[in-house]
Amino acid sequence: MIVYKGDVMVQTRQMKDNQLSIKGFNMDFEEIDSYLKQKKVNYDILDKKISLNYSLLREWDFKLLYYFKPFYAPLCDMCCLCTYGRCDLSGNKKGACGINLEKQQSRMVLMSSGIGASTHAAHARHLVDHILEKNPELELEYGNSIEVLSPIITTLTGMTPKNARDLDKVMVCVEKELTNLMAATHTGQEGYYLEFESKAFHAGMIDTLSLEVAELAQINQYDLNKGEADVPMIEIGMGAVDREKPVILCIGHNIVPSSEIIDYAEEMDLLEDLEICGLCCSAIEMGRYSSKSKIIGPISRQLMFIKSGIPDVVVLDEQCIRADIFELCAEKNIPIITTSDNCSLGLPDKTKETHYKIVNEILTGKIPGALIRDSEKVGKAAVDLVIRIKEKNEIHSRLKKLNPDEIDIFEADTKCTTCTHCDTSCLEVKRKSCDKSFISEVENDIGPYIDLCNSCGQCNRTCPAMLPIKEAFEEAKNGDISLMSSFYGKCVGCGNCMEQCEKNIPLIDIIRLASEKKIDSEKFLMRTGRGPIQDVEIRKVGASIVFGDIPGVIALAGCSNYTNGEVEVHKIAEEFLKRGYIVLAAGCAAMDISLQKDEEGKTLYEKYSGDFDRGGLLNLGPCVANAHAIGSAIKIANIFANVPLENNFTEIADYILNRIGVCVIAWGAMSQKAFAIATGANRWGIPAVIGPQASKYKRLYLGNDRELRDIKDKRDGTEVMCEPAPVHLAYSAESLNECMIMAAKLCIRPNDNPRGRMIKLTNYVDIYNRFYGCMPPDINQYVRSEKEIPYQRKDEIKEKLSENNWEPRKSPHEPSIL
């Protein structure tokens, strides 16, 4: 054996044992080897893949499904998913594969929930990959005010993510679960309807997991708001856009492209010279990132704003983009830049080209737009392109003033892109030969198109918002366009009326022009998305929410597919704010709340604080910020009640179901994403009220509202006859009135103390009497003692209790269904 003493090499005898002893020093090589192996094992544990215990989660699902039975209302009795079909499943018939209508309907529910979850998961994956590319060691944190960083991830996986690599592990788990869930929908797989429902719950929960990953990623990557209540206000509305400036419109949900556009514009000192605005959740993301951006509005504004021709360039990322966006932009000669493989629109992939070349090819008409998957290049191309287009339009305007009788030099010898009704080369600037030349030919005169209407009523029959379009045309023929103008804000922007009109009348354009003054003055203020709820806020109000002193937390989510327009979600928010509920909002619902003003010209965001406290109105952020609504309920269980989070889903969900008065309202749910959000909330024990349009998803979870419910008191293990609270898990309300009544009732919980129950019943009775003019017929089920009877109507309630032979009953100390 050779050793070194300083610079001198010394040869020693070979060691024959596993120990080396020197005076005052002892080395055991077996112990070192064991230590190294132990360290290696610990390293492996840290790098271990994350997985979910579906078998345990499935047990919880079946407990929920015991109390809340699936109710199906299929739109169709046929199954057309495989080549055995079409199979008639009406009555008790089975399909060729053995499936019946109940199983088929639950399978479709799983598909819808899985599609929604996959969409948010793909979004989260894109954000995580972006951070892994830019800064994989980025530390994840929400500031000193938030220690419970990831309530959803930690509860489900036992891990609190520290950086993007940890988020990547979560996404690998998410993608594995989604693969298994979608495999279950294949022909010849699952064959029991409640198993499909359990998997639909699972898909919804995976959706909430993806929501939290996305928020963690983008808030930390882009230094967005981290739970501060007092966040800035931002302008929203079609009238907020300065049309004299070059306008870039971003549509979708991914913050990455729009942030690069803003950064490049700022770098080039052009931010003040451009209007960078957004639709849908991209708009909220941009508002969180830069106060210089503008919000056009929710998804319902998309068709109308594009057809207005105001945008000079449209940039698309992913989600909530009209499938005909390319044709709509082509009608107005608006170039498109797409940034995602999920929405490529058949455009050429120009990712490897320089942004100068891309801009020149679009300007010269070689390509109508481009797919660019390099976000930095998107920012440069969008800004340079919109500047060049504006310069071109200004030259064009000057030439037209000098030569007003000349043919448009930029449109000559090109085919009309307004529609496909003709195939002739249109050289006239106004394209008079085309029936759909409405905006080009008639800027303010809607008379010729009003006269085309033959009052067939097809528009009324196809309008999802049930607008009286035919009647509006009849009034317009007599010179009154007030009814037509009133449709703005009620129209959901689907365009079905135009597609079904046998006279090809451009109805959306008519509504827009009839509402021109209203649109031009449409400028509101909304609070930017604040992100998570701070731990200190949870500590402050946790007891008040659990015991009922604060009557409940209302979380408004979903899309703008409202029956009577966005004013409804505003009314819902205002009603509960006045009553001291905490109102949370995210996505399109958060935007819709701001689109009304009171007599003083203020929006609800200006009237109510952004604190997570009694009467607080919180804009959490975009759709993915719904994670903070569910996360707030989890944090109440953890911070206030000390329920552990790590791998403790069933305990947390059981606590939420029985003790935390929170209710989701997805009043305008349209997309599969909104359905997945509501279904995910259901699995966490949070009931949801959905609007009439959302009932087309064809499944509800209804409880027994006529009998007391048998649950357990965990303190002594006894069974307790308890009020059915919450009475339903997923309920479709047919009217705004029914929605508010049901939401107030769904905030009642077995854990309410006498004072809290009295407060909740005061609101329930008052709202019910206000809209229906009588006492709720089930009031006797929710009064446990005379101390809980509301003061205002005490005699009337006592009389109702006497009619139902009411008797006092004990309430459970620690209610549970486990």
Side-chain angles (χ1 to χ4, degrees), residues 539-760:
R539 291 188 185 95
K540 181 180 178 181
V541 301
S544 298
I545 293 172
V546 170
F547 296 124
D549 289 339
I550 291 178
V553 179
I554 302 295
L556 290 160
C559 317
S560 303
N561 193 17
Y562 312 119
T563 303
N564 293 306
E566 61 234 3
V567 68
E568 289 196 331
V569 76
H570 174 274
K571 287 180 178 178
I572 292 170
E574 187 173 34
E575 181 71 30
F576 286 106
L577 287 167
K578 287 178 179 178
R579 295 177 178 275
Y581 290 74
I582 300 173
V583 177
L584 314 178
C588 284
M591 290 184 268
D592 289 322
I593 287 172
S594 70
L595 298 177
Q596 308 292 326
K597 293 180 181 179
D598 64 6
E599 298 79 8
E600 298 176 358
K602 292 183 177 180
T603 67
L604 291 180
Y605 287 110
E606 295 173 274
K607 292 174 63 176
Y608 294 92
S609 79
D611 296 302
F612 188 77
D613 202 347
R614 185 186 308 276
L617 173 60
L618 288 69
N619 173 15
L620 300 176
C623 273
V624 293
N626 280 293
H628 303 309
I630 294 172
S632 66
I634 298 171
K635 289 170 75 169
I636 289 172
N638 175 242
I639 294 174
F640 167 71
N642 294 317
V643 181
L645 293 184
E646 290 78 4
N647 290 313
N648 199 27
F649 172 83
T650 53
E651 292 284 345
I652 292 288
D654 184 64
Y655 190 95
I656 294 171
L657 177 71
N658 290 288
R659 308 195 197 195
I660 302 177
V662 57
C663 176
V664 168
I665 300 179
W667 192 236
M670 174 274 292
S671 65
Q672 292 90 350
K673 294 187 308 167
F675 181 74
I677 290 170
T679 304
N682 292 159
R683 199 189 212 186
W684 286 96
I686 301 173
V689 180
I690 58 176
Q693 301 294 353
S695 64
K696 294 172 185 174
Y697 278 114
K698 308 172 282 295
R699 191 269 289 120
L700 304 173
Y701 293 130
L702 302 181
N704 187 339
D705 59 354
R706 298 182 181 181
E707 297 179 1
L708 296 179
R709 183 175 295 165
D710 186 6
I711 67 172
K712 295 191 183 218
D713 189 333
K714 290 176 68 176
R715 180 172 294 185
D716 55 20
T718 59
E719 292 186 352
V720 181
M721 296 306 295
C722 181
E723 62 278 355
V727 60
H728 304 300
L729 203 56
Y731 183 85
S732 176
E734 294 299 317
S735 68
L736 183 67
N737 301 346
E738 186 184 9
C739 169
M740 290 193 279
I741 291 169
M742 183 55 67
K745 184 160 72 169
L746 288 177
C747 286
I748 297 174
R749 291 294 186 276
N751 197 69
D752 301 334
N753 65 19
R755 172 182 163 79
R757 179 60 60 88
M758 182 186 67
I759 292 171
K760 291 185 178 184

